[in-house]
Amino acid sequence: MIGRRQFLAESASFVAASLLSRSAFAAKPTPVVKTSCGLLRGEVNERGVLVFKGVPFAAPPVGPLRFRLPEEPLQWSGVRDATHFSPMCWQSVDEILKSNLPPMAEDCLYLNVWTPSADSAKRPVLFYIHGGAFVQGSGSTPDFDGTNLARNEDVVVVTINYRLGVFGFPPFRVFGDGVSNNLGLLDQIAALEWVQQNIAGFGGDPGRVTISGLSAGGWSVAALMVIPEARQLFHRANPQSASMMTAQTPELQAFHARNFLAALGLSASELRGAIILPAAALLKAQESAIGQFHKSKYYQLGDDQLPFIPARDATVLPVDPIELIKRGECAAVPLLAGGSAEEVGSAPFRLALPQVKAWYQKSVTLEVLQHWTSRARAAEIWDGYAKDHPGASEAKLAGLIRTDFFYRMPSIRISEARSGEHRIWMYRFELQAPADAVGISTHATDMAFWFGNMGRSQVFQFLFGRPPTPEEQALSRQMQHHLAAFARDGAAPWPAYDTHKRQTMIYNTTSQVGADPASNDRRLWNGLV
């Protein structure tokens, strides 16, 4: 347990670092950095951190480059302004959120850099991949502002955009099997290549790059670990709340492709016609394909393979990433993995949706489990959770089972597979979001804590419904410190994970290291996940 004395000592170090660095941050000139494509002018923000926004890492994937692999960024002459975020990639956005987000465009392959100084200090680099189910999100939202990490922990933070939905993960290959449809993953690799070529000019160390991301970002981290072209581009991996880590099967690719093309009024032989259609038309067809999936047997059986996600192909992901990691066919780098205690747990905001509410019934949960195992094993799992959680409602048990099946157990399995190297650390975020519609430690509850942006995060406001408390701010500082330590040293400041003690950092307002948390539930999945 983190005691009062240790907490006070850590707090004192944070205050001292802030005071010592304040004068250094006070009067920095407008920064100009030389990159492989030309000169960039950034800005010094109100906290004294150097920020470079909207930096191109690939050519605009427009016109004839739609559905193509990312190409080298274009050169420019003079000094390019890097003080404004780029458009975010095309996506469906709730009308309520549109006013707070950048505009959308297909020309969206840009990244952002936060650094304490553009010097030769060779700081660790945190390369963050946003989530959003591969159909939403942006590297420029306030949630991922890297100011706190750069200022408090002396690291360089890089956030990126990558093509989403049908633009980045089409369930078809327009140019044949030789051109992968995992375009969004290849965009991420292109951004990592840019980091290797240029980050030293921003005060970063190209030899200490940590890839990190939550949800679809965490899934992406797992994929990058197994793609041969990516393995030499990073040195630590931090998949957060990564679901399943499987790639879309050929069967489902064909199903989703039919629905998408039908919405456009195209046949399979007219696939190349999608190259010249307006982006808005493709987005509308994408929404139609997602709607068809929600009506399908795949969705009802709890299949996690949404229409527009990384897919199995002949060139990038021939096998599910989780299987390759378990076989050791992946980057041999330190790993920090974990997630929230009830990622998809029962909560009022979920039960208010009739189609989702069905997932939290015993009969539906057993049907989903029977899709993956025998009727007897499904009943054994349900009865085991009922025994481990006496008094829990049917919906509560279903949520715990879904969380462990889709999120916790896959993370444990990849950690078990790598634990012999003694370079694996696990965490579990247990702080419950107190908003009336939530009440649990659900998916993305921890997201704003890693960056210290609780006061600016719309996700935090939905989950907590109020400003952060001093205890929550202290937890955020602790998590930032731990993440930066992992990025800096390749080790988290608690015992490494192994299959004997299974030491896990449990994050809460009073954090502590626990041995094999929820162990009875974990054992129920032996041999299955």
Side-chain angles (χ1 to χ4, degrees), residues 164-445:
L164 302 169
V166 70
F167 303 94
F169 301 95
F172 47 78
R173 286 172 280 282
V174 174
F175 302 105
D177 290 342
V179 178
S180 175
N181 50 338
N182 288 302
L183 302 172
L185 292 178
L186 295 170
D187 293 342
Q188 295 168 15
I189 293 174
L192 281 168
E193 291 173 339
W194 183 95
V195 167
Q196 285 298 310
Q197 295 169 10
N198 296 287
I199 206 64
F202 297 81
D205 183 355
R208 285 190 297 171
V209 176
T210 298
I211 54 172
S212 175
L214 187 143
S215 193
W219 199 112
S220 297
V221 169
L224 294 173
M225 288 178 66
V226 305
I227 298 173
E229 293 79 4
R231 294 181 198 175
Q232 304 304 314
L233 302 175
F234 60 91
H235 314 89
R236 299 98 163 85
N238 172 222
Q240 304 170 353
S241 300
S243 172
M244 294 298 282
M245 295 175 271
T246 57
Q248 193 176 89
T249 63
E251 175 190 351
L252 272 163
Q253 290 179 61
F255 173 78
H256 296 315
R258 284 195 300 271
N259 289 331
F260 176 80
L261 292 172
L264 288 175
L266 298 176
S267 67
S269 62
E270 299 171 309
L271 185 57
R272 293 204 176 195
I275 299 173
I276 60 173
L277 290 174
L282 300 189
L283 195 61
K284 185 175 181 180
Q286 172 181 309
E287 293 166 355
S288 175
I290 292 172
Q292 291 299 315
F293 171 67
H294 287 163
K295 299 175 184 177
S296 73
K297 64 178 181 179
Y298 303 108
Y299 183 78
Q300 300 304 323
L301 290 173
D303 201 306
D304 201 41
Q305 297 194 356
L306 303 172
F308 304 97
I309 65 170
R312 292 185 200 169
D313 67 357
T315 57
V316 175
L317 286 179
V319 181
D320 290 342
I322 189 171
E323 294 303 321
L324 291 172
I325 294 173
K326 288 194 287 188
R327 283 162 24 187
E329 298 178 29
C330 62
V333 298
L335 182 73
L336 172 61
S340 295
E342 295 186 66
E343 300 274 6
V344 286
S346 170
F349 79 93
R350 290 192 175 103
L351 299 182
L353 302 172
Q355 194 170 22
V356 173
K357 185 177 181 179
W359 291 346
Y360 296 89
Q361 298 173 2
K362 178 179 180 179
S363 59
V364 174
T365 302
L366 288 173
E367 183 180 1
V368 170
L369 290 174
Q370 289 164 24
H371 178 61
W372 302 95
T373 187
S374 67
R375 182 184 299 269
R377 184 69 186 276
E380 177 186 334
I381 291 170
W382 181 274
D383 293 343
Y385 274 80
K387 181 180 178 181
D388 293 341
H389 304 274
S393 67
E394 184 175 309
K396 181 76 168 181
L397 294 174
L400 291 169
I401 290 171
R402 290 180 61 83
T403 289
D404 285 358
F405 179 68
F406 286 109
Y407 290 90
R408 187 168 81 106
M409 290 312 304
S411 287
I412 287 177
R413 292 295 182 248
I414 65 171
S415 298
E416 289 173 339
R418 305 287 311 287
S419 63
E421 302 169 14
H422 304 292
R423 297 198 299 167
I424 312 302
W425 289 264
M426 290 207 74
Y427 71 90
R428 176 180 170 91
F429 189 87
E430 291 192 349
L431 179 66
Q432 296 184 346
D436 291 341
V438 190
I440 61 173
S441 181
T442 190
H443 191 60
T445 305

Side-chain angles (χ1 to χ4, degrees), residues 21-75:
S21 62
R22 191 165 294 167
S23 60
F25 280 120
K28 293 182 179 176
T30 302
V32 174
V33 172
K34 182 179 181 181
T35 73
S36 56
C37 292
L39 297 173
L40 281 174
R41 178 180 288 112
E43 62 184 349
V44 181
N45 70 12
E46 69 283 357
R47 306 236 3 242
V49 172
L50 277 59
V51 188
F52 298 81
K53 303 174 181 176
V55 180
F57 64 83
V62 299
L65 296 185
R66 180 188 280 177
F67 301 129
R68 289 285 189 183
L69 308 187
E71 296 195 356
E72 293 286 333
L74 305 177
Q75 302 283 322

